[in-house]
Each structure stands twice: as C-alpha cells, then as structure tokens.
Amino acid sequence: MTANRASRFNRRLLIRGAAAGAAVPAVLPTAAQAATGTAPSASRPSDAKTANEGTWNAGTSNAKTSNAKTSDATFQWLGTSGWRIDTGGGRTVLFDPYLSRFETGLFKKSFNPKTPLTTDGATIDRHMGRPELILVSHSHWDHLNDVPYIAAAAPDARIVGTETTYHLLRALGVDKARIAVVRGGEVLDFDGLVVEAVSSRHSRNDTYSYFAPGTLTGPPPRPQTISDLPEGDTLAFHVTLPDGLSAFLMGASDFSERDAAGLRPDVAMIATPSTPATHRYVPRLLKALDYPATVVPVHWDNFELPLDEGAHRDPTIDLDGFVARIREAGPGSRILLPEYATPYRF
C-alpha cells in the first residue's frame, strides 16, 4: 500500500555516541524545520509507546506527508540492522535479529574469522517476543547467527531468506518446511501482512570487497565459525502492515536502484556505509524510494558490546556525515537515530 502517512512517531532523545564521547539527539529535524526553527522541542517521554506529533511544511519537502493517523505498530531496533515489529493486532515480525553480539575482534582491529558461533539465549529470550515471521537479509553471522535459536524457541515462525540462508539453516537443524526461499521480486501475503522481497546488494569495504562472499546451492557441513556463514546474496524487504504502514528494511549499505524504485515506503531503515565505495549512495537511494517521511540509519553501532549498554558508534563510520547527506538529499525527511529495544511508532 502506498498511501502517505503522517510524520508522527514516538521518540526518545538520547543515544550514546561512544566514538564522539557525547550524546546525540535521536530525532533530528527536517532541513526546513532546522532553517525555520520549527523543529519539535527536545523531550524525553516517560512512555516510549506514546506517539508524538510532528509537523510538516509541504512547500519545502519532497517527502511524503498526510494527515493519516499514527500506526498502532511499534518498531524496536535490536542493534546492527535488526528490528522487532509488533503490529497493533498482536503479531510480531523479526528482521535480521542478532542479539548474541559475541566478540570477534572486529572493533578492536584483531578480527578473527575463525571465531566460533555462539548464542546468548537469555538475551534473545528477553527481546524476541513471539514472532510469526523472521526475515533474513543475508547470511553473515551478524544477521543469521541467532535465527536457528529463535526458530527452535518459536516453532510456528516462518523464515524468509535466500537459497544460501535456506541451506545454512538446514545445516543448523531448521526444518526445511519452515523456510521460504526468495530471490527478490516476490510479494508474499501473510494473512494481510505483505512482504515484498527486494533484490539488493552487500556493502563494500575500502578495497571494494567484503567478508565471506559466495553462495550455496546445497547443504554444507554444520557451520562452526563465522567464516562458515557466507553472504549468499543480499535482500532488502518492503513490509506493509495490515493498517497500511510500510517500511523498507535494509541489512547492508548498498542496493539495486532498479529494484528499489517505486516502493515508496513510509519509513526507511537504511544501512550506514563505512566507506564511500558506493557511488552517491544516499541521494540515489532516497530518490529511488521517493523520499520517505522518516529515515532511520542503522548498522552504525558496535555490535560486539552488550545490548544493555546502549548504542556505541562503530568508530570506522562517520554517522554525523551520513546524517548530513540524508538531510541534504531529502530535506523533508525526519531522521530518527534509534535507541536499542525502544518502541517507536510512525
């Protein structure tokens, strides 16, 4: 559904910016609001589930606007690119849920590709809810690692992912009947909850490559280390909830412009790049998505620190510069810098 939504959402004001050593605002004004002084006042609501209204100046914005009511659904950032979405009807969707956050040395310049795969069941149990759908963008450990545990704990949940994700999950003991393989372009209707798989791309490092490329066409031996989980192609997902709100979910900071064009989500969770390898990433992406009303940067955090410590910046990522590029390319879009495990409404 492409009906415009209001720019209303719950907001919490502060997250930890570990790299800068200072707190940063979680909800940033549109460029027009910043220029005119009409940005929402800084406040920290005691109830994270209460929506706060924002206002729009349609004459200065490319973003979608309307007077539609706020969705009853809540969105909780689980760190990295992960989300828990709870609809107003009591249904839960997980996207790239990675909560174990074990140490690989990645953020200490001592990365060990042979790090054993482990799960933190207690943390997963606290945050997973009762999912009926688990969407997986790709098969790297910081996206797939916890899915087998969640699948066992939620035996009615269905998983949607690539063929590589399918083969890896089979090797990790997940029943094949519970896994829906998609390539991009499929539009699946789960009893009024519509999921469109979008062919996408993985982000690039400063040598224009990335960790553990490759795909699988058959089941491997049971994976033991993070190197045993290849990328296996990358998807994004466009999810439309029963009340009409639509969200674009990314797991890596590159995309296929042709596949993203025309989706027109109300809110876009966009992955933050660590290098400028992808040409004009922000302006091309926002234009393809038709300038969503709300943009939420993700995958900018150090995902090897405990979730309960709050979000610390990945020191290799220029989050401030990324936010500035979003504001320049989509001056009418609100920007939400989320806190972990905090419910937001849009």
Side-chain angles (χ1 to χ4, degrees):
M1 180 172 179
T2 59
N4 292 343
R5 307 291 301 186
S7 59
R8 303 174 185 175
F9 44 83
N10 175 278
R11 62 187 186 270
R12 298 283 298 274
L13 240 200
L14 299 177
I15 61 172
R16 293 251 287 266
V24 295
V27 181
L28 306 180
T30 68
Q33 289 173 328
T36 61
T38 59
S41 60
S43 63
R44 188 184 184 92
S46 58
D47 181 359
K49 294 185 179 180
T50 301
N52 291 291
E53 282 195 20
T55 59
W56 289 90
N57 182 339
T60 59
S61 171
N62 290 326
K64 300 189 294 180
T65 64
S66 81
N67 293 319
K69 72 179 183 68
T70 303
S71 172
D72 289 332
T74 59
F75 290 69
Q76 296 183 53
W77 185 39
L78 302 180
T80 319
S81 62
W83 288 91
R84 170 178 163 176
I85 305 170
D86 294 290
T87 73
R91 305 168 70 182
T92 298
V93 178
L94 298 179
F95 172 70
D96 281 6
Y98 177 59
L99 293 155
S100 293
R101 302 169 69 88
F102 52 79
E103 178 69 54
T104 70
L106 179 64
F107 298 94
K108 298 179 179 179
K109 298 183 178 180
S110 58
F111 179 60
N112 178 11
K114 297 300 182 183
T115 300
L117 299 172
T118 60
T119 54
D120 179 352
T123 299
I124 298 171
D125 291 343
R126 284 198 302 272
H127 295 285
M128 62 176 274
R130 298 178 63 183
E132 67 174 79
L133 276 179
I134 306 169
L135 310 178
V136 182
S137 68
H138 63 286
S139 300
H140 282 155
W141 85 96
D142 53 326
H143 303 261
L144 184 67
N145 181 82
D146 291 353
V147 173
Y149 180 94
I150 295 170
D156 295 327
R158 182 169 296 279
I159 303 156
V160 182
T162 66
E163 182 182 1
T164 295
T165 293
Y166 169 86
H167 290 305
L168 289 167
L169 290 177
R170 290 289 294 118
L172 289 162
V174 179
D175 182 354
K176 65 181 181 180
R178 301 176 59 191
I179 310 167
V181 175
V182 292
R183 296 184 178 183
E186 298 87 351
V187 182
L188 307 178
D189 191 332
F190 296 95
D191 193 21
L193 198 159
V194 180
V195 175
E196 181 172 354
V198 183
S199 178
S200 197
R201 304 293 183 269
H202 198 275
S203 47
R204 303 279 165 167
N205 59 28
D206 54 8
T207 63
Y208 299 89
S209 59
Y210 56 87
F211 174 72
T215 58
L216 298 176
T217 58
R222 184 179 179 89
Q224 301 293 327
T225 73
I226 61 174
S227 289
D228 296 331
L229 300 180
E231 175 247 356
D233 293 329
T234 294
L235 299 166
F237 289 94
H238 183 252
V239 178
T240 303
L241 304 182
D243 66 7
L245 181 78
S246 62
F248 182 68
L249 306 169
M250 294 183 77
S253 58
D254 201 354
F255 70 108
S256 165
E257 198 164 358
R258 294 169 182 83
D259 290 288
L263 293 176
R264 304 190 72 243
D266 300 301
V267 55
M269 286 66 172
I270 66 174
T272 309
S274 59
T275 75
T278 298
H279 176 64
R280 301 185 69 247
Y281 170 62
V282 171
R284 290 193 303 112
L285 177 58
L286 294 188
K287 181 179 179 181
L289 297 177
D290 197 21
Y291 304 101
T294 305
V295 176
V296 186
V298 296
H299 218 329
W300 49 262
D301 56 321
N302 180 336
F303 51 81
E304 297 187 357
L305 295 174
L307 201 73
D308 59 11
E309 287 191 8
H312 292 257
R313 296 187 187 188
D314 177 343
T316 69
I317 286 177
D318 178 12
L319 181 59
D320 296 331
F322 186 60
V323 167
R325 290 190 290 277
I326 295 170
R327 182 177 286 132
E328 179 182 8
S333 296
R334 290 187 183 276
I335 303 167
L336 168 65
L337 294 181
E339 294 183 20
Y340 292 154
T342 299
Y344 296 95
R345 285 179 176 165
F346 301 97

